[in-house]
Amino acid sequence: MVKLGEKQQCPHSLLPMRKDFNGTFINGNKAMSHGDLIAYAWLFLANIDLPTRFEVNAHFSLVNGVPGKAFCTRRLEGETPIKMTSEEHPIPLLAPYRMGKFHLSHRIVLAPLTRQRSFNNVPQPHAILYYSQRTTKGGLLITEATGVSETAQGYPHTPGIWTKEQVEAWKPVVDAVHAKGGIFFCQIWHAGRVSNQDFQPHGQAPISSTERPLTPQLRSNGLDMAYFSAPRMLRTDEIPSIVNDFRLAARNAMEAGFDGVEIHGAHGYLIEQFMKDQVNDRVDHYGGSLENRCRFALEIVEAVTNEIGADKVGIRLSPFAGYAEAADSNPKSLALYMAKSLNEYGILYCHMVEPRMVKPGEKQECPHSLLPIRKAFNGTFIAAGGYGREDGNKAVAEGCADLIAYGRLFLANPDLPTRFEVDAPLNKYNRETFYIPDPVVGYTDYPFLERDP
Ligand SMILES: Cc1cc2nc3c(=O)[nH]c(=O)nc-3n(C[C@H](O)[C@H](O)[C@H](O)COP(=O)(O)O)c2cc1C
């Protein structure tokens, strides 16, 4: 730096001085080997968030004037999300990512996982430890499916968020996740016909888009059978009140301290019962055409977005799956229609289950890919279903998804991001304890990686 602010070719180096000096050497040059710390002047002047920009390898604002002129001092805040391809990052899943206003430190998301340990639909103190075990600073977590109303339930001991007691019970769980720097979304859900009268108020029939009942099914623990009562088809004039239940649940989630909500539009539950043509046999303006079948889902998106803000709303969809006898004859059109419609609401993220997950928990060869849908959707795209470390890294590096949600692996490995970072072996999950009510076994007793003291 012979002249102020101008780099010139020169034969000298600071290395001999750095070697002769015993203390910390602060260098104004680029090579760390020539200094312990590097001082930045012009770049820091024009980029007030310079360390963050280095971390995520973002572009710089340039010093575009002489001192005294207005420099460009934009923050990363407010800029479009950094869709870092992560090609440069040695472990793409561990590359940071900006999701709206949330600064994620990595891309490994806790997928929503029903654990059936919320007695009487109220989250219990043991959930505090369970979720905080899976929290990392800057990591995104999604809760288990959480009922929006009394009629939303279909399983024993799943949590709700429609009463004051439930909201209060969620608060310490949310606080524990926040205390460790996690970002926590609540998955809001209605089971629809995937229920039976035992779970319904006054023993009434479950509600749905149809009157067609589900046949008994092997539960996803692979062990016991689930039986379902014949549903009652919702009347057209009743639908706004169900939409309103989702709106109130979103409001309650914010009251409980969550950072946002994920609308559960997947896996054959109520919203999918409307969306998919093999279930929905309505003749009103909620049935028939693709547009009509998606109306219920989009009304919920609109209501929730108006209530809490689009920047706090995500949705989970599984257009290609056929869980709970909910398949569609043209899943790609359904997925694309939803992606494009969701853009109009500007919601934060779309979380999609991979087409290969045709049956719960089972990967199958399949000709479909989420890529066209990911390209059609403007916000953050989360993919889930059957991912491991290698294909998760590949999906992120190749831009097939921004984030990957892990279900069973995260269930059994509370420190999954660390394990992925050091490429450690993984604990195996035990299906038999997925849904037992024990507050510890199969819940908070999966071991962490042993680390050197
Ligand atoms: C025990 C268990 C509970 C689940 N509960 C939910 C749930 O509440 N909501 C949901 O959308 N998906 C749920 N799923 C599906 C997972 O979120 C995930 O999509 C699925 O396990 C596939 O991902 P994986 O291969 O990473 O496990 C559940 C899966 C398991 C194994």
Side-chain angles (χ1 to χ4, degrees):
M1 302 300 278
V2 183
K3 287 192 199 161
L4 203 59
E6 259 181 47
K7 267 205 273 194
Q8 285 180 18
Q9 280 302 109
C10 127
H12 303 295
S13 145
L14 293 181
L15 201 54
M17 281 74 89
R18 188 255 202 278
K19 284 186 177 157
D20 283 348
F21 181 66
N22 293 340
T24 297
F25 200 80
I26 305 181
N27 191 348
N29 252 328
K30 65 179 176 187
M32 272 310 279
S33 57
H34 294 196
D36 301 304
L37 309 172
I38 310 288
Y40 288 91
W42 295 87
L43 277 186
F44 227 141
L45 188 152
N47 298 271
I48 52 182
D49 48 3
L50 188 64
T52 309
R53 291 187 191 241
F54 278 149
E55 190 181 348
V56 301
N57 205 13
H59 60 272
F60 300 117
S61 297
L62 296 177
V63 178
N64 52 4
V66 292
K69 283 221 171 153
F71 293 132
C72 173
T73 51
R74 273 184 309 156
R75 282 175 182 281
L76 285 175
E77 196 88 46
E79 287 183 341
T80 47
I82 302 161
K83 295 220 169 172
M84 207 168 87
T85 61
S86 315
E87 279 149 0
E88 310 89 348
H89 203 288
I91 307 169
L93 281 167
L94 292 170
Y97 176 75
R98 273 262 332 265
M99 181 176 78
K101 63 179 176 176
F102 303 105
H103 291 258
L104 304 186
S105 61
H106 60 78
R107 294 150 186 259
I108 303 158
V109 178
L110 175 67
L113 291 166
T114 291
R115 306 307 315 274
Q116 293 183 219
R117 285 153 165 96
S118 297
F119 310 134
N120 299 317
N121 309 128
V122 178
Q124 298 294 307
H126 42 252
I128 299 172
L129 180 59
Y130 169 75
Y131 282 107
S132 74
Q133 281 181 335
R134 285 156 185 77
T135 304
T136 45
K137 191 171 177 343
L140 173 63
L141 296 86
I142 305 164
T143 67
E144 59 214 274
T146 300
V148 298
S149 68
E150 247 188 320
T151 63
Q153 305 301 315
Y155 304 86
H157 308 311
T158 51
I161 192 142
W162 73 89
T163 70
K164 180 92 186 125
E165 186 190 6
Q166 292 160 346
V167 172
E168 291 305 313
W170 272 117
K171 283 183 181 172
V173 185
V174 179
D175 289 347
V177 169
H178 283 162
K180 288 180 79 178
I183 293 135
F184 205 11
F185 274 55
C186 182
Q187 189 186 55
I188 53 176
W189 165 68
H190 196 300
R193 69 173 181 166
V194 189
S195 182
N196 73 42
Q197 287 164 313
D198 294 343
F199 297 116
Q200 294 299 316
H202 319 297
Q204 68 188 38
I207 55 169
S208 182
S209 62
T210 179
E211 280 175 1
R212 283 188 288 181
L214 275 174
T215 50
Q217 285 172 23
L218 193 62
R219 284 206 185 276
S220 39
N221 64 5
L223 301 172
D224 50 346
M225 294 296 283
Y227 296 91
F228 309 96
S229 312
R232 179 177 72 79
M233 185 192 278
L234 278 167
R235 294 191 316 270
T236 312
D237 67 340
E238 290 177 299
I239 291 178
S241 79
I242 312 296
V243 172
N244 198 44
D245 287 339
F246 276 89
R247 183 182 69 78
L248 292 175
R251 178 198 281 185
N252 287 345
M254 299 318 288
E255 160 70 24
F258 283 105
D259 297 291
V261 300
E262 175 175 290
I263 298 165
H264 194 345
H267 296 165
Y269 296 114
L270 184 64
I271 295 178
E272 261 209 352
Q273 291 158 31
F274 275 81
M275 272 192 284
K276 294 207 165 158
D277 64 3
Q278 294 186 11
V279 185
N280 185 333
D281 53 1
R282 304 179 70 89
V283 292
D284 61 1
H285 63 289
Y286 290 95
S289 67
L290 183 56
E291 194 184 5
N292 280 356
R293 283 183 278 117
C294 293
R295 189 182 308 281
F296 178 59
L298 294 171
E299 283 180 357
I300 291 171
V301 169
E302 185 172 12
V304 169
T305 297
N306 287 343
E307 183 66 36
I308 65 169
D311 58 338
K312 300 176 204 73
V313 179
I315 190 166
R316 193 173 217 211
L317 301 170
S318 58
F320 297 92
Y323 306 175
E325 294 168 24
D328 195 85
S329 59
N330 195 343
K332 190 174 171 192
S333 298
L334 170 62
L336 285 172
Y337 178 79
M338 280 301 291
K340 287 176 190 156
S341 307
L342 291 170
N343 287 340
E344 288 169 29
Y345 299 97
I347 63 167
L348 184 66
Y349 73 76
C350 178
H351 180 180
M352 208 164 268
V353 177
E354 284 285 346
R356 63 191 177 192
M357 305 305 281
V358 181
K359 290 191 194 162
E362 263 181 43
K363 271 203 272 192
Q364 284 180 17
E365 280 302 302
C366 125
H368 301 292
S369 139
L370 295 185
L371 201 55
I373 305 133
R374 187 261 200 283
K375 284 185 179 156
F377 181 68
N378 293 340
T380 293
F381 196 79
I382 310 179
Y387 275 104
R389 182 179 187 271
E390 199 177 319
D391 57 353
N393 274 326
K394 189 164 177 281
V396 171
E398 291 178 355
C400 299
D402 298 304
L403 310 172
I404 305 291
Y406 288 90
R408 291 161 295 176
L409 294 187
F410 224 146
L411 184 155
N413 295 274
D415 51 358
L416 190 65
T418 307
R419 289 184 192 246
F420 279 174
E421 187 177 351
V422 299
D423 203 4
L426 300 177
N427 300 325
K428 290 200 170 19
Y429 53 80
N430 178 6
R431 276 162 157 244
E432 289 175 24
T433 56
F434 279 175
Y435 305 108
I436 62 170
D438 196 291
V440 175
V441 178
Y443 193 52
T444 51
D445 62 350
Y446 281 106
F448 283 73
L449 204 56
E450 279 183 24
R451 307 208 94 185
D452 294 338

